Amino acid sequence: MILDKIDQLLNEVSNLSAQNADEIEQLRLKYLSKKGEITALMADFRNVAADQKKVVGMKINELKQLAQDKLNELKECVGTQKKAEDTPDLTRTPYPIRLGTRHPLTIVRNQIIDIFQRMGFTLAEGPEIDDDLHVFTKLNFAPDHPARDMQDTFFIETNPNEVTKNVILRSHTSNDQSRVMERQQPPIRVICPGRVFRNEAISARAHCFFHQLEGLYIDKNVSFTDLKQVLLTFARELFGPDTDIRLRPSYFPFTEPSAEMDISCHICGGEGCGFCKHTGWVEILGCGMVDPNVLEACGIDSTVYSGYAFGLGIERITNLKYHVADLRMFSENDVRFLQEFQSAN
Ligand code: PHE
């Protein structure tokens, strides 16, 4: 009789199922709690005939073990079902993701780098904080040159009682020229993009920091014609094949002769418009043949080698390409402004 009951329970227990933790608890109460069916069997066990006790006892233990195993198994299943719900469904269509954009200055800088790299220039970078020797002296700035003046250059206080004029936030990327020449003998063919600083009041047309890209080419028999051809190719690559260039005489302490380069206004095609102030030309860079004094100061024999250099403002070129009216937009991180460049990426 009791054996029949045990068999029936064995059968029941081996087929148990549950959907959640509550149902499992109900099953535990039904079979294994103090008032549960298996506990009740223990009470009946007392009345079992002595010669049956061994068999019945073993059966009851088997049933108890099975019930416990089964409940543990159900608990695990319910646990993993829950986990399965938390795992992301990788086949689902994604939420619309808002893509970021590259900063317009980065976009234009990369375009410029790409053009010069295709012409065989390699990249070099110099320090933003530098000394007088590399920013000015080696570049042939006379000791009293106005560009060293506090008006233009940020000098850094290293001693609170004294502003030493030797630690400088570079005011142009030309410090990279002196550093490259110092460590490398010709042939040299590098471009050096970077941030520069000038002590100017911040307005729509000026900022206390901006970005330049310096180019330097030194070898035997380098002439002004080489410079002109490289710059013409650059201008046409960047602004289109119809672009013309014009070189106007200028002055920089580190180049002789020096020039400023204009490109034909790509808005009016050179006819004259508000953008080019009705001249048909817009200025984009400074350039020239490296002054022999600079070569000598940097350890390069100026009787054997010659070279050219140029420096351009990345903000200026970005403005020409994208007509950004206010220079401050570049450093304000306004997402609406940045997103306008999504397609340019
Ligand atoms: N360093 C110059 C400037 O900041 C630009 C320049 C670089 C001119 C190299 C000539 C040669 O204006």
Side-chain angles (χ1 to χ4, degrees):
M1 174 68 178
I2 192 168
L3 282 174
D4 291 345
K5 177 76 180 159
I6 294 170
D7 281 340
Q8 181 210 326
L9 286 174
L10 273 171
N11 190 27
E12 254 180 62
V13 165
S14 54
N15 290 316
L16 287 181
S17 69
Q19 297 298 325
N20 53 41
D22 276 353
E23 287 182 20
I24 296 172
E25 178 60 9
Q26 291 304 321
L27 294 174
R28 191 190 67 79
L29 289 172
K30 183 166 182 228
Y31 294 103
L32 288 169
S33 70
K34 275 191 185 151
K35 290 182 182 162
E37 303 222 25
I38 297 173
T39 323
L41 281 178
M42 304 287 216
D44 290 349
F45 181 67
R46 267 184 258 132
N47 306 323
V48 170
D51 60 343
Q52 296 272 306
K53 274 201 166 63
K54 192 173 173 200
V55 181
V56 175
M58 276 167 62
K59 275 258 182 194
I60 293 180
N61 279 341
E62 187 193 331
L63 172 63
K64 205 172 164 186
Q65 190 61 49
L66 180 72
Q68 254 155 11
D69 289 351
K70 190 73 194 175
L71 290 182
N72 285 341
E73 189 187 305
L74 287 175
K75 269 187 208 153
E76 266 179 34
C77 282
V78 169
T80 45
Q81 264 170 20
K82 200 149 188 230
K83 261 188 220 142
E85 278 163 28
D86 292 345
T87 317
D89 172 5
L90 298 177
T91 61
R92 223 181 100 258
T93 336
Y95 291 112
I97 296 168
R98 293 184 84 187
L99 286 178
T101 59
R102 286 219 164 80
H103 192 281
L105 294 177
T106 309
I107 296 172
V108 171
R109 187 198 59 192
N110 289 350
Q111 287 171 355
I112 299 172
I113 290 176
D114 183 54
I115 294 170
F116 282 111
Q117 278 185 334
R118 278 187 273 129
M119 289 195 269
F121 285 79
T122 52
L123 269 179
E125 261 177 315
E128 289 177 0
I129 303 172
D130 210 341
D131 51 19
D132 181 275
L133 187 68
H134 293 89
V135 182
F136 298 130
T137 304
K138 286 201 173 204
L139 294 170
N140 200 31
F141 279 82
D144 53 354
H145 193 281
R148 294 173 184 237
D149 197 278
M150 297 287 276
Q151 297 278 316
D152 295 311
T153 309
F154 285 113
F155 296 96
I156 295 178
E157 276 176 34
T158 44
N159 171 350
N161 300 323
E162 155 193 25
V163 176
T164 55
K165 290 204 159 188
N166 196 32
V167 186
I168 295 174
L169 289 185
R170 64 174 174 188
S171 52
H172 56 179
T173 42
S174 303
N175 66 326
D176 294 344
Q177 280 194 38
S178 29
R179 289 193 172 271
V180 170
M181 285 191 268
E182 222 175 41
R183 61 171 184 258
Q184 187 187 334
Q185 280 295 307
I188 294 174
R189 195 170 0 177
V190 289
I191 45 169
C192 318
R195 181 173 290 183
V196 302
F197 307 84
R198 286 187 197 178
N199 192 359
E200 299 206 29
I202 297 172
S203 72
R205 312 190 110 246
H207 212 298
C208 59
F209 66 83
F210 55 99
H211 299 80
Q212 287 189 335
L213 183 136
E214 193 84 5
L216 179 68
Y217 186 102
I218 302 185
D219 206 342
K220 288 178 182 151
N221 302 320
V222 179
S223 73
F224 204 94
T225 322
D226 299 321
L227 170 64
K228 194 174 165 191
Q229 187 56 45
V230 160
L231 293 179
L232 177 66
T233 307
F234 161 67
R236 292 195 167 157
E237 287 284 319
L238 195 62
F239 291 103
D242 298 333
T243 312
D244 281 331
I245 63 166
R246 168 174 96 167
L247 290 159
R248 284 179 289 105
S250 184
Y251 172 77
F252 300 103
F254 36 93
T255 47
E256 180 59 36
S258 306
E260 267 163 312
M261 185 176 100
D262 300 337
I263 55 164
S264 53
C265 178
H266 59 293
I267 296 196
C268 59
E271 306 252 305
C273 66
F275 190 76
C276 59
K277 300 198 189 85
H278 302 281
T279 61
W281 297 97
V282 280
E283 186 200 319
I284 67 160
L285 57 79
C287 61
M289 300 307 290
V290 179
D291 193 301
N293 287 345
V294 175
L295 295 176
E296 292 295 336
C298 298
I300 291 175
D301 188 343
S302 64
T303 59
V304 180
Y305 295 107
S306 57
Y308 60 74
F310 53 85
L312 51 87
I314 296 178
E315 274 82 351
R316 171 117 187 103
I317 293 195
T318 308
N319 268 340
L320 289 177
K321 280 185 81 88
Y322 297 116
H323 312 293
V324 179
D326 188 330
L327 213 57
R328 289 169 290 195
M329 301 291 279
F330 287 128
S331 47
E332 277 173 359
N333 283 338
D334 185 331
V335 180
R336 292 165 302 176
F337 169 70
L338 297 175
Q339 279 188 336
E340 290 186 37
F341 296 89
Q342 207 149 43
S343 60
N345 253 329

